[in-house]
Amino acid sequence: MIQAKRQITLNESLGADIYRLSIQAPEIAATAQAGQFIMVKTGVGFDPLLRRPFSIHQTEGDEIQILFKRLGKGTTLLSKLAAGQQLDILGPLGNAFTLQEGPCCLIGGGMGVAPLLFLAQTMRSRGITPHILLGARNKAELMAFLPAFQALDGSLRYATDDGSMGQRGFIIEALPALLAEDNKAKWQVYSCGPYPMMRAVAAICQHKWPCQVSMETMMACGISACLGCTITARNTNRKGGKYLHVCQDGPVFAAEQIEWKS
Amino acid sequence: MNDNNQDLRVDIGGGLKLNNPVMTASGTFGYGREFESFTELDSLGAIVVKGISLRPRPGNPPPRIVETACGMLNAIGLENVGLEAFIKDKLPYLKGHKCPLIVNILGDSIEEYRHLAAGLDQEEGISAIELNISCPNVKKGGVAFGSQPDLARELTTTVRQATSLPLIVKLSPNVSDIGAMARAAETGGANAVSLINTLIGMAIDIRLKKPVLANITGGLSGPAIKPVALRMVWQAADAVHIPVIGIGGISTWQDAMEFIMAGASAIQVGTANFFNPAAVDEIQAGIRRYMRENNINQLHTLIGAARGGK
């Protein structure tokens, strides 16, 4: 784990306010696993104050890459940085997806697709061909991240909320049909995306297929010090509470660890 | 002139001398180990660990934190492992380091604080106890102790009798007369006061039309509160004869020097640890550099330097 200023090698606008940003970070690239994240100081000074967590989208050689959408103050600052500039980063942090035997399904929506590319690449390098389901709001958003997934071998399905590309509606609607294609198989399902999507994935998989989800919360430190990145657990912990900490216990959880809120 | 010529030692009362004035604030540095990759734990002035209660506490439901302009609100709710697990699982690691260890304690009743102090008094490797009478995020007890001088004095007196360790009382800024609270701690037998804890605040999600934090209110910390903290440290230093430890938004060495010149004998770094895990080392290095450049050999000569002899 390092905290250091490292050089940006690429900050590319992909359309729909989505960017991919690569950083020269050999110490992180060498050890990072799919599902892990980094904390990024998006600006100098005290506003924004806190670092922002980003899943690692992929690694290549000495570089790591994140995928982000320009939404608030932090990501706006990030979008303005150029190759050659320095970025203060901290990582790699958190746990990783666990690869298991059986056919694999990766289902992601919006910026939640970020760690799934790294996961799919990891699977491919081990001879596993995942089934990938991706959801986006519209064609522009989908086209921002789809090409990276298309570069992988494997089955790929996608949907947009407005039907401007692929199936119309939420990608979750395609999941039961995919899993039913091989109903006897021990599917391994991996998901990252909006909370309602992961909740629906967890419900479909419950008692049938193991499901891993990557969770996102507000986070101050990323290193287990602030205890702010709490989510509600199904079981009571040894402190007598039903809480999990995303940076310490996650960000990847078994879906059944989580008490899903309606 | 090399670094060895700078004497950063400070006295924070009760016989406790620190090699340098830079401490970590409770609740922002875990139990030390979380920061071992980023800081030189051995060279810290002192580590103040996450507040310990008699029994484990699960803390508040999420969301617990939200960022604000130059600051953050938190309502962690004093989540901690409890006294027994602290002694068994956390203390051995901390004892293996050279820097003094200060244990922050909190309770719902005077009796609970007394038990905690007595329990810690028996352990080796603890340099002082910091009494948290000021956390704004728990329903019972804490706030009353922190806002009523009579209760604060009574609590301090009781804990004073339960331990021979140096005793620091951490004060809340959410009071009308900080001097009265500092005096209450001093009268009760505290060796030092530390201040400020967080200022109570809130944030509302205008999309959901409800408070962001599940607890509704939370404690504001970070650079946003520094001027308020500095003013209160100045006032507390006016009110008491025991050492004052400055806390509140300290993020740079310049911030630290302001507190020292206002009358603080030492400082604690809090929220800065979250966004800059190397903050404590950088602040210490900055103070050394400032002293070298200004030909100051002994840091303690700068304590209260801005007060003009007052």
Side-chain angles (χ1 to χ4, degrees):
Chain A
M1 201 195 309
I2 59 142
Q3 182 219 342
K5 288 198 175 75
R6 289 287 180 262
Q7 191 168 324
I8 297 167
T9 54
L10 169 87
N11 193 7
E12 181 185 13
S13 167
L14 301 169
D17 285 338
I18 295 168
Y19 297 77
R20 58 178 179 184
L21 186 147
S22 298
I23 310 147
Q24 184 80 22
E27 310 92 329
I28 299 178
T31 63
Q33 293 177 282
Q36 289 191 295
F37 66 100
I38 60 170
M39 294 292 281
V40 177
K41 191 90 177 78
T42 57
V44 290
F46 298 139
D47 199 13
L49 185 70
L50 304 174
R51 289 168 188 267
R52 300 285 186 269
F54 294 97
S55 287
I56 298 171
H57 188 41
Q58 58 183 330
T59 65
E60 194 180 356
D62 286 347
E63 295 179 14
I64 58 168
Q65 187 176 81
I66 60 171
L67 183 76
F68 67 94
K69 186 163 199 165
R70 185 159 57 84
L71 283 172
K73 203 178 279 178
T75 45
T76 299
L77 286 168
L78 216 47
S79 72
K80 290 176 180 160
L81 296 173
Q85 287 183 279
Q86 302 279 310
L87 194 59
D88 186 341
I89 56 173
L90 169 59
L93 300 166
N95 65 0
F97 288 106
T98 309
L99 267 59
Q100 304 280 10
E101 290 293 312
C104 297
C105 172
L106 278 52
I107 175 164
M111 288 303 92
V113 306
L116 298 185
L117 180 69
F118 193 7
L119 178 61
Q121 289 171 340
T122 306
M123 288 175 168
R124 291 298 296 129
S125 72
R126 298 191 191 174
I128 303 164
T129 306
H131 297 262
I132 301 170
L133 305 179
L134 302 175
R137 283 192 188 153
N138 50 43
K139 183 180 178 182
E141 187 179 279
L142 184 64
M143 281 312 293
F145 52 72
L146 185 65
F149 286 90
Q150 284 171 325
L152 295 162
D153 279 342
S155 93
L156 185 60
R157 302 167 206 213
Y158 41 82
T160 51
D161 298 358
D162 65 358
S164 52
M165 191 175 171
Q167 192 181 317
R168 183 195 187 94
F170 296 139
I171 190 61
I172 184 76
E173 291 157 22
L175 183 63
L178 172 68
L179 299 175
E181 282 176 14
D182 192 351
N183 215 2
K184 293 207 179 71
K186 196 181 177 200
W187 282 96
Q188 302 288 336
V189 179
Y190 302 84
S191 185
C192 185
Y195 188 91
M197 190 199 91
M198 289 194 285
R199 182 180 57 207
V201 172
I204 289 166
C205 295
Q206 199 176 9
H207 306 311
K208 295 196 195 93
W209 298 290
C211 174
Q212 296 174 43
V213 292
S214 175
M215 302 298 287
E216 188 178 23
T217 56
M218 181 75 204
M219 202 176 267
C221 70
I223 55 172
S224 313
C226 76
L227 304 179
C229 57
T230 322
I231 56 171
T232 309
R234 191 158 288 177
N235 298 315
T236 303
N237 63 28
R238 64 186 187 132
K239 293 173 190 163
K242 295 191 163 194
Y243 301 126
L244 294 162
H245 296 294
V246 171
C247 81
Q248 186 179 348
D249 308 314
V252 179
F253 298 90
E256 69 261 19
Q257 282 178 274
I258 295 164
E259 183 72 44
W260 296 96
K261 302 276 181 199
S262 51
Chain B
M1 201 186 282
N2 69 33
D3 277 358
N4 297 334
N5 291 80
Q6 272 93 48
D7 178 0
L8 272 73
R9 284 176 302 173
V10 292
D11 187 335
I12 59 165
L16 182 55
K17 291 184 176 64
L18 310 181
N19 281 332
N20 72 76
V22 184
M23 311 158 73
T24 63
S26 177
T28 66
F29 207 70
Y31 301 103
R33 191 168 217 156
E34 292 84 348
F35 286 80
E36 66 181 6
S37 308
F38 313 109
T39 60
E40 289 293 332
L41 296 178
D42 283 335
S43 63
L44 282 169
I47 291 181
V48 186
V49 292
K50 173 80 185 157
I52 302 294
S53 50
L54 207 48
R55 276 168 293 279
R57 281 188 191 239
N60 288 332
R64 291 180 172 184
I65 56 171
V66 59
E67 184 167 339
T68 58
C70 299
M72 65 178 283
L73 289 161
N74 88 80
I76 306 301
L78 302 172
E79 173 179 343
N80 78 93
V81 296
L83 180 64
E84 198 183 317
F86 171 74
I87 290 171
K88 191 165 143 284
D89 304 333
K90 308 293 183 186
L91 192 54
Y93 174 82
L94 289 158
K95 275 200 292 200
H97 288 84
K98 288 186 200 134
C99 75
L101 170 65
I102 298 175
V103 181
N104 181 288
I105 62 170
L106 56 106
D108 287 334
S109 65
I110 288 185
E111 197 49 26
E112 212 173 317
Y113 278 101
R114 196 183 63 75
H115 272 292
L116 279 159
L120 291 167
D121 193 65
Q122 316 228 317
E123 297 298 320
E124 279 178 29
I126 298 171
S127 297
I129 288 175
E130 183 179 64
L131 209 55
N132 180 0
I133 61 166
S134 53
C135 185
N137 297 323
V138 282
K139 298 278 177 273
K140 295 182 282 184
V143 172
F145 290 127
S147 58
Q148 293 174 28
D150 289 349
L151 276 175
R153 192 186 59 239
E154 188 188 343
L155 176 63
T156 309
T157 304
T158 303
V159 174
R160 175 71 290 164
Q161 287 161 359
T163 177
S164 56
L165 288 167
L167 185 61
I168 303 162
V169 176
K170 183 167 179 177
L171 302 177
S172 167
N174 304 301
V175 296
S176 52
D177 184 352
I178 194 68
M181 293 305 298
R183 277 192 298 272
E186 184 179 39
T187 310
N191 300 107
V193 289
S194 56
L195 70 159
I196 60 175
N197 205 318
T198 56
L199 288 152
I200 298 173
M202 71 181 292
I204 288 174
D205 184 326
I206 58 170
R207 191 174 56 86
L208 299 174
K209 301 189 185 71
K210 63 174 199 177
V212 175
L213 299 174
N215 191 57
I216 300 174
T217 61
L220 180 65
S221 66
I225 71 168
K226 198 200 79 181
V228 178
L230 192 62
R231 180 267 294 180
M232 288 191 149
V233 163
W234 179 284
Q235 289 174 330
D238 262 344
V240 295
H241 301 289
I242 52 177
V244 174
I245 298 166
I247 322 168
I250 297 172
S251 310
T252 65
W253 67 266
Q254 292 94 332
D255 295 338
M257 289 312 306
E258 283 194 67
F259 278 82
I260 289 166
M261 290 180 185
S265 296
I267 57 101
Q268 294 180 7
V269 179
T271 299
N273 295 316
F274 294 155
F275 60 84
N276 178 12
V280 280
D281 288 359
E282 291 173 13
I283 289 168
Q284 195 190 133
I287 293 173
R288 278 185 200 282
R289 201 167 52 243
Y290 172 86
M291 289 172 66
R292 191 167 57 236
E293 287 169 6
N294 293 279
N295 292 318
I296 292 154
N297 296 325
Q298 292 179 313
L299 181 70
H300 72 84
T301 60
L302 291 176
I303 296 170
R307 307 184 67 87
K310 277 181 272 184

